[in-house]
Every structure is written in structure tokens, then in C-alpha cells.
Amino acid sequence: MSAYQHYEFLALDQPLDESQRAQLRDLSTRASITATSFTNEYHWGDFRGDPARLMRTHFDAFAYFAEWGTRWIMISAPSAVLRPADIKPYLLTEAAYSTTAKGRTVLSLLSQDEEADFVEHPAGLAGIAPVRAELLGGDRRLLYLAWLLSVQVDDELDDGEVEPPVPAGLGDLSAPLCAVAEFLRIDSDLLSVAAQASPPLPTGNGQGEEMSWWIENLPVKEKNRLLGLVVEGEAVRARARMLQAFQAEARGGPAVAEGIRTVRELWSAAGELRARRAREEAALEAEREQRRREEAAAAREERLEGLAGRGEAVWQEVEDRINTKLPEEYDLAVSLLADLYALAEREGEQDAFTRPLREMRERHRRKSGLQRRMDEVGLER
């Protein structure tokens, strides 16, 4: 296969051991392999491994992009933390789905656009990977982006399909979520419309105080269990478990709005938003163009006033510039002639301009570049 491909994997919860790194080296002799990552580019050939299988056995985050427009993200976590029942409402198509096997859940998000311009280095996995911690902490915004990705795929969802619960903060995405939206080419107008029904994120010191109170009142047995996870190297799992429990117990669940809009309604609203923005941009451009015309007219009027009192000196300046035989001087000479013509028109003295112009053109008839420039600005022969 003779096209550019980029594979990138990250191990976030625990490093790869020597045996796992040896297995990866068997799959690729050229890859950059560390205790926490696998990265390789292909211009000829292809990766011999199965990315989905590696996400169940070795890695926690994955990003892939190819010259033909495919972009692919996967997030993997223990099923006890990334519970299939919690994410299922958002994952309905081949563009956004999950698989569960051997105690791990893998979330897969796939964007394909053969017509898109190729970007050799879109948002990298380092900028995307933090969404995993957000997701495991109970933030459902990544899941809603996954649903929007499915909405963009033709014929994947019925127009009457109702959106899933709308999470808080869609209008205030974190940097990693912005990177995901950019990488997957989520339609910005569709996202803006979706965000209109999104509750605001909890803010202020009250949130920290509420969390502190909740931690203080956790049963000792649960605290010991969480500390045990940290000691065992499962700090990410412990954090996710705490945040999910906090959302469920102290707040009655994550902040969401019940989905009521259909795919058709979202696309229609996005189209109206796009059309309104286009009208506003067209109006602004018309204003800018009018301003440019007015400024150009004022500048030309100022130039004409300056020429009005110079008389024959201007014609001599034109002649001097022509005699240099330099292209840039030809341009300046013709610009002066155009201003002289405009001045003659304004004062009703076209005949006084036409006669010396014809004489000048005759004197320099062999200068084809000069003659062409005069023709282009409408100076008659």
C-alpha cells in the first residue's frame, strides 16, 4: 500500500513490560516503542497487527490517520469503570461503537472523508488522550461527540432518531475534547446547535467544598478499597471510581438534559445557523468593499488635486519614467496617465488630454510592454 499512514498507541494506566514490547517489535521492526507508547508511519506496506486487539491487551488510547481521509480514535478501559450500559445510548453505528471482552471495554470512533484535504499531522494523540480521564470520571461529552459523528455519516441514523441525553458543558469543551472534535471533523455548526440544550458545567468553590464533604463522609471500607487501588498502581481506576460515585451519590448523577431533538431538527438548525453566518459575513464583506471603494475614491481625489496645479510637469515626469525602459517605471507612468485622464474628464478637457496621449503613444509605439499597459487601463490609441 503506497500511501501515508500514521499509527500511535499509548499505555496510560501501566507501562508495557518487556514481553509486551517484544511482541510489539515482532509486529514492526521500524516502530518507535517505549514503555508507554508505540508509534509508526507507513509510506509503503501496512501495520501487521490488529489495533483493536492491542487495545484490549496492551494500550489505553489510540489514534490513526491516513492519506485517504480515514481518522480513527480508540479509548480502552476496564469494563468496571467504562461500563457498557452507560455508554451504549451514544454508540449506535459503525462510526461510533464499543466492544467488550475479557473485562475491557474499547470505544471506537471512526471518521472517513476521502474528499478532505490531507493534513499530515492533525491533532496528535498526546492532545487527545486526556479525554480518557474525563470520560472515566463521568464526563459524557466525548460520548455525545461520538453520537454527532454518527449523525454526520449518511444513512447511518434515521432522520427521526432522537438525540441521547445532552451532557453539561458542550458549549465549553476542554482542550482535549476540542482536539477530538477537530480530529474527527465534527461539524462545528452541528456542535453549536447541540450545545444550545447543554446545561452549564458546575463552577465555583462550592464544587470543591462539596467534593471534600463527600470524601470525608465516605465509609472507611470504601476509602480503604480506594487506597488499595492506588497502592496497586490503579490510581486512574480509583480516581474514576471516586468521580463516578460522587456524581451518582452526591449529585444524583452527571449533569445532563434529556434529549428531545431529532437528527432532522439538529441538521435543520445547523443549516439555519450556517446560512445566517453566511449572510452576516456577506454583509460585512459588502461593508468592507464599500469602505475600500470610498477610501480609494478619496485617495484618487487627493491625487488629482495634487496633479491639477502641475500642468506640463506631470507629462514630463511620465516621459522621464518611460525613458528608463524599466517595467516598474512603466507601471508608475501609466498610473499617472490614468490620473491625468480622470482629471481631464472631471474638468471637461478630454481633448486637451487625448492629443498629447496619442503623440506619446506614437513616439513609443515600439515599446510593446508600455503599449499593453496603456491598453489595459483604457487609454485610447
Side-chain angles (χ1 to χ4, degrees), residues 329-340:
E329 292 295 326
Y330 284 176
D331 291 334
L332 294 171
V334 172
S335 179
L336 280 172
L337 287 172
D339 285 345
L340 283 173

Side-chain angles (χ1 to χ4, degrees), residues 338-378:
D339 285 345
L340 283 173
Y341 177 67
L343 181 63
E345 274 194 322
R346 189 184 73 177
E347 299 180 357
E349 299 178 354
Q350 290 93 327
D351 291 342
F353 172 82
T354 302
R355 179 181 53 78
L357 174 66
R358 288 176 176 171
E359 292 174 356
M360 178 174 286
R361 294 200 69 154
E362 178 60 26
R363 284 197 304 276
H364 300 289
R365 62 183 181 276
R366 295 184 179 179
K367 297 182 174 67
S368 59
L370 174 65
Q371 297 290 338
R372 174 176 53 77
R373 287 171 170 79
M374 291 184 181
D375 290 339
E376 288 173 352
V377 299

